Amino acid sequence: MKILGYLERFGSSSRMLILTTLTFVILGTYSVYAQDATADHAVFVANNIWMMVATFLVFIMHLGFASLEAGLTRSKNTVNILFKNTFIISMGLLTYAFMGFNLMYPGDFSIGQFFGFAGFGIATPEGADGLIAYADGGYSYWTDFIFQGMFAATAATIVSGAVAERIKLSSFMVFATIFVTFVYTIAGSWKWGGGWLDQMGFYDFAGSTLVHSVGGWGALIGAILLGPRLGKYTKSGMKPIPGHSLPLVTIGVFLLWLGWFGFNGGSVLSGDPGPVSFVLCTTSLAASAGVLGSIIVSWFMFKKPDLSMALNGALAGLVGITAGADVVGITSAVIIGFVAGIIVVFSVVSFDKIKIDDPVGAISVHLVCGIWGTLAVGIFGVGEFSFLTQLIGVLAYGAFTAVCALALFLLIKVTMGLRVSEEEEMKGLDITEHGMEAYPDFQIT
Amino acid sequence: MKILGYLERFGSSSRMLILTTLTFVILGTYSVYAQDATADHAVFVANNIWMMVATFLVFIMHLGFASLEAGLTRSKNTVNILFKNTFIISMGLLTYAFMGFNLMYPGDFSIGQFFGFAGFGIATPEGADGLIAYADGGYSYWTDFIFQGMFAATAATIVSGAVAERIKLSSFMVFATIFVTFVYTIAGSWKWGGGWLDQMGFYDFAGSTLVHSVGGWGALIGAILLGPRLGKYTKSGMKPIPGHSLPLVTIGVFLLWLGWFGFNGGSVLSGDPGPVSFVLCTTSLAASAGVLGSIIVSWFMFKKPDLSMALNGALAGLVGITAGADVVGITSAVIIGFVAGIIVVFSVVSFDKIKIDDPVGAISVHLVCGIWGTLAVGIFGVGEFSFLTQLIGVLAYGAFTAVCALALFLLIKVTMGLRVSEEEEMKGLDITEHGMEAYPDFQIT
Amino acid sequence: MKILGYLERFGSSSRMLILTTLTFVILGTYSVYAQDATADHAVFVANNIWMMVATFLVFIMHLGFASLEAGLTRSKNTVNILFKNTFIISMGLLTYAFMGFNLMYPGDFSIGQFFGFAGFGIATPEGADGLIAYADGGYSYWTDFIFQGMFAATAATIVSGAVAERIKLSSFMVFATIFVTFVYTIAGSWKWGGGWLDQMGFYDFAGSTLVHSVGGWGALIGAILLGPRLGKYTKSGMKPIPGHSLPLVTIGVFLLWLGWFGFNGGSVLSGDPGPVSFVLCTTSLAASAGVLGSIIVSWFMFKKPDLSMALNGALAGLVGITAGADVVGITSAVIIGFVAGIIVVFSVVSFDKIKIDDPVGAISVHLVCGIWGTLAVGIFGVGEFSFLTQLIGVLAYGAFTAVCALALFLLIKVTMGLRVSEEEEMKGLDITEHGMEAYPDFQIT
């Protein structure tokens, strides 16, 4: 009405003109708005592609873990390790779809700040047909699920390495299932699900603590409860048990490094060019510095350039940078990685001194360097980061995960048993648990 | 002219005004249209990137197949298998460029609904300079070619596994070349090239039938004509011939799973976030359920957790979901994969019972689960899918491919011979056909 | 002021009308410009994602090289080779960040056309906060660094293969560090950094010369200075020393082929659909033709289908197409690859005849086929390419790199020593240099 009165101020020819003009302008504006949606849609498509690529990279980490773990252990336990890793990713995705995703990201269904559950199964919030933009328009609901699902199973995979060559297969399968479905997801909700640690200002970009330390605590508890492998710590001192295939270890580490581009790069949760590519740089340079750190220290310490240590140095650098890859500078990233590479060598040696047997160095890489990386955010992070808050986060995750893992392993121990018999361990799990050999054509020494 | 008359209705000042305004509006509109093209261009760029990523993933399936097949056979035939797989992808891309692409997608050059050919060689429809948007503006002509080319060779690779360890190399090379160039492409044109089965409403999203069953029929015919490997079926019963490297098998299966994200995800033919990410979820969850299905059944059946079966379960789930990955719900995908995982175990055991020797289980994985997946669209598909039409498609592809493969293998048999001599088979094809060993430094038992 | 005078020509109602209209038009135009930025931003995001994907693919080439080189040599030197390759990528990225990137792309800091240095370290031109569009708005500064950084280390990796099994580890580490940091980068600046060869019209799309020949010249000088491995050329003729794992070689070649999609595809420096996908087609078809060329020639020459040659044929085709992947037609790409596949076989045989021992064929693949590919641009290139200019480029790079490599290797020889002792070579570098075995569980012959 007001508009009509306003128009009456003009003569008839002018009125016609104004209407004509308005028509043009409205058409133009309509195009602009239609256009606006399209340009936003293009960014949405691109972001979503990025997150899907990141998903593939995290998926391939499972092959990386399988290769690394198999290569660092003896050929008589290879089938067992490959079986565990195939099981973990499959079980992990299914339980994550069944309830894990909704435990980790409870959204409106939080009960306080420590727990929440958005219900069983997965479906887009608007029902089966409504595929929607998600996370500030960045990617689809399904992309969110599958990206996070690939993350979930890694925690259990970390445990797998530390308990290798002596744990009963079925016992591990039960542990891994409960650990992935409940422990990882509930702990994750405290930060990534918007829970109490998130509100306190704790920062863990891609999971130095939420993924790696959580897995690492499970690994530590498992390795302690199981005890060392037969023949590792003898009266005449520690006897190294070398891994059976260094090429397999190298393939594993390179695939993990590759996967970390998705693990960290995808944790930006968008394809925004600046932040994502910056994260790729900090991630790569930390890994590189980790390799050099480990090479230098181990060369001094053992008087030989040690390939396993060089490779563990890459993983140490990667775990170390994971908590702060987006908030530390390039030089800081190099320092964090280099220190992680040094730490991992001392840590591996130290755990052997206190006779905690970890066949693949998982506790040193994932737990120790995960803690280092999380605290490093409080030291090197550019922005409002508190060392104390980071420490609280580390301790909270440590306490919760260690208690859960302890309870779980003890429960399994008294019900199913945890460790294979001495005879089975000597013969190897491949023959005794699976009735198969990994390399039947080869003469094994 | 009409516009000028229209303008005369206004006073001179108003005329000036209207021209000024129009100039602004036209400029604005021009920007909008320029803009429109740009936003569409952005989606085009993003889509095309997605299809290129999918292409890389399908490419890496060829390494997956090579690793799987080599790992599941004996070390004395490893060079032979790696050679075949290197040849197949190379020959496949070249013949697809030479004529396969234009046989499969004849476009306006269809002769009826069963056959068509758009000419030799590849070139953009508008000539060497004209790189154009393609397939509803989704991606470039060259992307289309290279994506489809990566698919083409997989069909022959599937055959390779079933005839391994006893087929003559040159005979296989001839078979594979003709099979990829003519049989796969003409059969493919019936559905993906818009032929008679497409018009009948037959649905096969990414090729449970068009790729996997087609390869599987070739595998079945080849395995029957060749007969079993020496020493497999003896008077005292079936004697398993274990694969020589389970790590290689595991690498193969994980790479195939990874590649399937491109095989199925790329078959959406755009980077549209909702559909593509949904397909990644159905694909992954079917693979996971396949693993669990195979583990459970084989554990019951053999009283041991069988790694080969767990890994074949993943492939079974992947083949099973391929036909309907975009049209079945999440729960249905889990069921389809789980059932495929169960089917593959029974199928492997059954083929051994009827003494059809398939060293890698290719017939069970690709043919049997390919049929299951295609029929499953008629059961679980959300939309207008007919079980009967799916069955007609399965039978039509079966009849055509089996007849072609039979004619081709028989022709080769009478001209070149199909199977190596007993002595060659005993010594292994690596030494006798290639004069090389795969592992010369290792002591082979 | 002029605008106000212009407005006074109209009556008051018309003035009001024009202001109203202008407001609408300005709002519309504002939206259009805001929109413009957004659509451009979408293309920027997509381009950047493409370049990051290309980065990952080039990264995985380092695993490809490690696998290839390890597989083609003896198991007693495997740890040594894996160690070198892990070191090279780590050192390469760090020195590239420290100074290599700024030596290769000196920008405004060029001193003449032969050298320039933009300072130590990396940082966005606008400081730590300013993440900017780069290279005509195509991708971010950080993406540029990490993509180019992945390239840098490949040159040293090429050398690694040719000097394998007899060079002292520490000597190689010193050589590789200086070669990557200074020789590769300064040479690279002549073309990609806009130096004298770029201004002369020399063309090398993705590095047949800048990467592969540069590495190849280093390889040739190294192999000559070191001399052949013990027992390779005896009085009774050349004695082949077969590689210890053909599956590892195959994994390596397929990963390199995969990586080449990023190496060549990323060298378009944008995700522009037409050019990038065209490059993927020329790249793949040249690789395929290389395989066929090598198979045919080696089958005739050795009377056996040779797997190593087939795989080297793929690499030959890939190196050959790298200089002109974007400027030659499809048929030309097939010819270039096919000829490269033939050349590589003759080259391998010829180097053995003149007793230059190259355990992995690196000189034939990277140097010889790199030269062929660079010259082929002058023959097949569509556009203004001069064979003579291409030849000048080849010779200039040859002279500079060969002289640098010679000086460097000689300096190392007189200071640190270049070759391990005969005893160490016999025992293998794994035990003598690293105190480790690659396959401790296996019986080695």
Side-chain angles (χ1 to χ4, degrees), chain A residues 37 40-45 47-48 124-126 129-144 269, chain B residues 272-275 277:
Chain A
D40 282 355
H41 181 68
V43 174
F44 171 43
V45 172
N47 270 345
N48 194 69
T124 52
E126 273 140 45
D129 289 335
L131 292 156
I132 55 146
Y134 196 68
D136 286 327
Y139 43 96
S140 79
Y141 172 85
W142 301 109
T143 303
D144 195 40
L269 300 182
Chain B
D272 199 3
S277 59

Side-chain angles (χ1 to χ4, degrees), chain A residues 294-312:
Chain A
S294 283
I295 285 179
I296 292 169
V297 167
S298 63
W299 208 326
F300 268 100
M301 202 180 269
F302 313 133
K303 312 293 170 212
K304 296 266 183 193
D306 187 306
L307 176 61
S308 311
M309 283 301 175
L311 292 168
N312 264 333

Side-chain angles (χ1 to χ4, degrees), chain B residues 79-130:
Chain B
V79 169
N80 183 257
I81 283 162
L82 299 173
F83 188 91
K84 285 193 299 182
N85 279 274
T86 306
F87 169 76
I88 287 172
I89 175 67
S90 305
M91 170 278 294
L93 285 174
L94 288 169
T95 63
Y96 206 69
F98 185 60
M99 57 186 303
F101 189 47
N102 290 340
L103 274 170
M104 192 146 170
Y105 299 96
D108 298 338
F109 298 88
S110 291
I111 303 155
Q113 295 177 8
F114 291 87
F115 181 79
F117 180 49
F120 292 98
I122 49 172
T124 53
E126 271 138 47
D129 288 335

